[in-house]
């Protein structure tokens, strides 16, 4: 008598919210790689900014082409191209000197910080007049944008409209290499990316990532957050570099914190019966989950976000896979049932 095959586990629909963070996006690569390998999540929507948008586009491209295995291959190709397309210049670097002459002890010195501040006074329109950006080659090689635009997985990418001073969300059918470059454009390092006559900067300034598109679109009620900036630190920074690093984390987390506060408020009103879920106003119960960055990336400095050495990227990927494995073991069963993270206690 032949043995019956084990039943195929039911896949659970989920939306992903991918934060930006330069080369720390390789940590997300690792998380996504492990989740795709596991195969029990049905990813139906992705909202993202900056490096998270690059991961999101590679993910959607692969899912459209051939499913989970193809998505893993696209993500791997993306980060290999990031490594090979201009080194530290892919995500930019506030220093203008070659890394070979920048030992770690020198970067921590006051004199170095003064010199780095001086370098920041130069505009990218001055030190990069030809607007060279090696990220374009990496994106065009690693992502099939036609597959992305034709996908039934919703993709929302945030960029900051410079003149209008507001966030613009580009949707699936609008995604191009220019949109991803706009979403990752740090204005003191790269010239603004112009789309339809409007210059754009990094989407993380106003939406990192934007959650609100998931509230109104026909997307799953479960949202899995993947932040890249630690939310909490145990010690108060004192050195100039440490202060700047922490300020950067706070600034780029602020938009997400604001949206999470609004989500928590609405969910409380629904729980108290003061708002009706699934009514004409579009309010609904949401279940939130998170693969948190704090325990995995808290030991890394702001400067490491510009490091695209392959050994560093693969270490981050390994950390991400470990984090993904832990989340699957401890939180997966909550998907479709309840939130697995206390938003107010953890982020607010």
């Amino acid at each position: 008598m032949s043995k019956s095959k084990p039943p195929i586990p039911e896949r659970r629909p989920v939306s992903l919210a991918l934060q930006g963070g330069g080369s720390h996006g390789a940590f997300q690569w690792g998380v996504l790689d492990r989740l795709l390998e596991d195969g029990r999540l049905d990813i139906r929507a992705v909202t993202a900014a900056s490096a998270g948008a690059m991961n999101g586009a590679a993910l959607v491209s692969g899912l459209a082409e051939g499913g989970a295995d193809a998505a893993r291959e696209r993500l791997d190709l993306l980060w290999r191209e990031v490594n090979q397309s201009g080194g530290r210049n892919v995500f930019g670097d506030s220093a203008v000197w070659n890394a070979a002459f920048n030992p770690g002890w020198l970067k921590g010195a006051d004199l170095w910080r003064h010199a780095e501040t001086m370098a920041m006074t130069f505009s990218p329109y001055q030190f990069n007049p030809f607007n060279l950006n090696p990220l374009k080659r990496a994106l065009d090689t690693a992502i099939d944008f036609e597959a992305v635009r034709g996908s039934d997985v919703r993709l929302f990418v945030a960029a900051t409209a410079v003149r209008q001073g507001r966030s613009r969300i580009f949707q699936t059918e609008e995604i191009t290499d220019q949109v991803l470059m706009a979403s990752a454009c740090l204005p003191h390092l790269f010239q603004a990316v112009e789309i339809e006559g409007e210059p754009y900067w990094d989407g993380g300034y106003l939406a990192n990532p934007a959650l609100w598109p998931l509230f109104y679109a026909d997307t799953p009620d479960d949202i899995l957050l993947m932040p890249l900036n630690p939310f909490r630190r145990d010690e108060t920074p004192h050195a100039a570099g440490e202060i700047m690093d922490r300020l950067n984390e706070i600034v780029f987390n602020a938009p997400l914190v604001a949206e999470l506060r609004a989500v928590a408020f609405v969910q409380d009103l629904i729980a108290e019966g003061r708002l009706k879920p699934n009514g004409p106003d579009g309010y609904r119960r949401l279940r939130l989950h998170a693969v948190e960055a704090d325990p995995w990336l808290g030991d890394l400095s702001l400067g490491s976000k510009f490091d695209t050495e392959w050994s560093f990227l693969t270490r981050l990927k390994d950390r991400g896979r470990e984090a993904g494995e832990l989340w699957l073991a401890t939180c997966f069963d909550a998907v479709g049932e309840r939130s697995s993270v206390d938003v107010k206690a953890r982020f607010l």
Side-chain angles (χ1 to χ4, degrees):
M1 188 178 211
S2 61
K3 293 183 180 179
S4 60
K5 294 182 179 180
I8 299 174
E10 181 181 356
R11 300 176 71 216
R12 303 187 184 187
V14 68
S15 298
L16 303 181
L18 307 180
Q19 193 178 56
S23 64
H24 290 187
F27 172 78
Q28 275 176 359
W29 166 32
V31 176
L32 293 170
D33 187 72
R34 182 65 190 95
L35 298 183
L36 290 165
E37 181 182 57
D38 179 78
R40 288 179 290 167
L41 288 179
D42 181 15
I43 299 168
R44 302 308 310 154
V46 181
T47 183
S50 197
M54 294 162 49
N55 279 331
L59 171 71
V60 173
S61 174
L63 290 175
E65 294 169 310
D69 289 342
R72 295 177 69 192
E73 291 174 2
R74 282 288 178 180
L75 285 161
D76 183 271
L77 178 58
L78 170 66
W79 287 97
R80 289 182 184 277
E81 288 300 318
V82 165
N83 165 252
Q84 296 170 9
S85 297
R88 299 167 68 89
N89 293 324
V90 172
F91 293 112
D93 193 345
S94 57
V96 295
W97 297 277
N98 188 288
F101 298 99
N102 300 340
W105 63 267
L106 179 58
K107 287 189 174 183
D110 290 339
L111 181 60
W112 175 262
R113 288 292 176 180
H114 287 307
E116 193 170 41
T117 300
M118 184 184 302
M120 292 281 287
T121 64
F122 292 96
S123 160
Y125 295 87
Q126 295 173 308
F127 64 73
N128 185 13
F130 297 107
N131 199 21
L132 302 176
N133 192 334
L135 182 57
K136 177 176 170 56
R137 176 189 172 279
L139 296 173
D140 289 342
T141 302
I143 297 170
D144 183 338
F145 286 97
E146 288 190 10
V148 171
R149 291 189 290 269
S151 174
D152 61 355
V153 178
R154 304 294 299 274
L155 178 59
F156 306 94
V157 172
T160 300
V162 179
R163 292 200 294 257
Q164 299 178 50
R166 63 180 178 85
S167 180
R168 174 174 173 180
I169 306 300
F170 293 89
Q171 300 195 34
T172 314
E173 61 276 7
E174 301 175 291
I175 305 302
T176 64
D177 57 359
Q178 292 297 109
V179 168
L180 297 187
M181 290 167 62
S183 185
C185 179
L186 293 173
H188 56 289
L189 301 174
F190 296 107
Q191 295 183 26
V193 177
E194 189 168 306
I195 300 174
E196 299 172 354
E198 175 70 30
Y200 289 93
W201 287 341
D202 195 298
Y205 289 115
L206 296 178
N208 199 19
L211 299 183
W212 64 263
L214 302 177
F215 307 157
Y216 301 104
D218 183 17
T219 58
D221 293 335
D222 287 85
I223 301 175
L224 175 54
L225 305 173
M226 294 189 196
L228 291 178
N229 295 311
F231 278 79
R232 296 185 180 179
R233 293 286 186 180
D234 294 332
E235 298 179 356
T236 301
H238 294 126
E242 294 171 350
I243 292 171
M244 290 302 298
D245 285 4
R246 185 56 181 151
L247 181 60
N248 177 274
E249 290 172 350
I250 292 171
V251 167
F252 277 99
N253 279 335
L256 180 57
V257 169
E259 287 206 70
L260 289 173
R261 183 174 289 111
V263 170
F265 178 66
V266 170
Q267 297 305 301
D268 283 347
L269 292 179
I270 291 175
E272 295 166 4
R274 298 166 66 183
L275 282 180
K276 184 178 180 180
N278 303 318
D281 294 327
Y283 299 112
R284 56 176 166 149
R285 290 190 176 92
L286 296 172
R287 296 177 289 270
L288 295 177
H289 316 275
V291 179
E292 299 184 40
D294 294 42
W296 304 96
L297 302 178
D299 62 323
L300 302 177
S301 68
L302 170 64
S304 65
K305 290 184 177 181
F306 305 119
D307 187 350
T308 57
E309 289 295 328
W310 186 243
S311 59
F312 179 68
L313 297 179
T314 53
R315 283 200 303 273
L316 290 183
K317 180 192 178 185
D318 290 342
R319 292 187 188 189
R321 282 185 58 84
E322 288 184 50
E325 178 66 35
L326 179 62
W327 184 86
L328 288 168
T330 58
C331 301
F332 174 80
D333 288 342
V335 177
E337 302 292 333
R338 64 189 184 280
S339 292
S340 60
V341 62
D342 185 336
V343 170
K344 286 195 278 190
R346 187 64 193 90
F347 300 113
L348 306 184

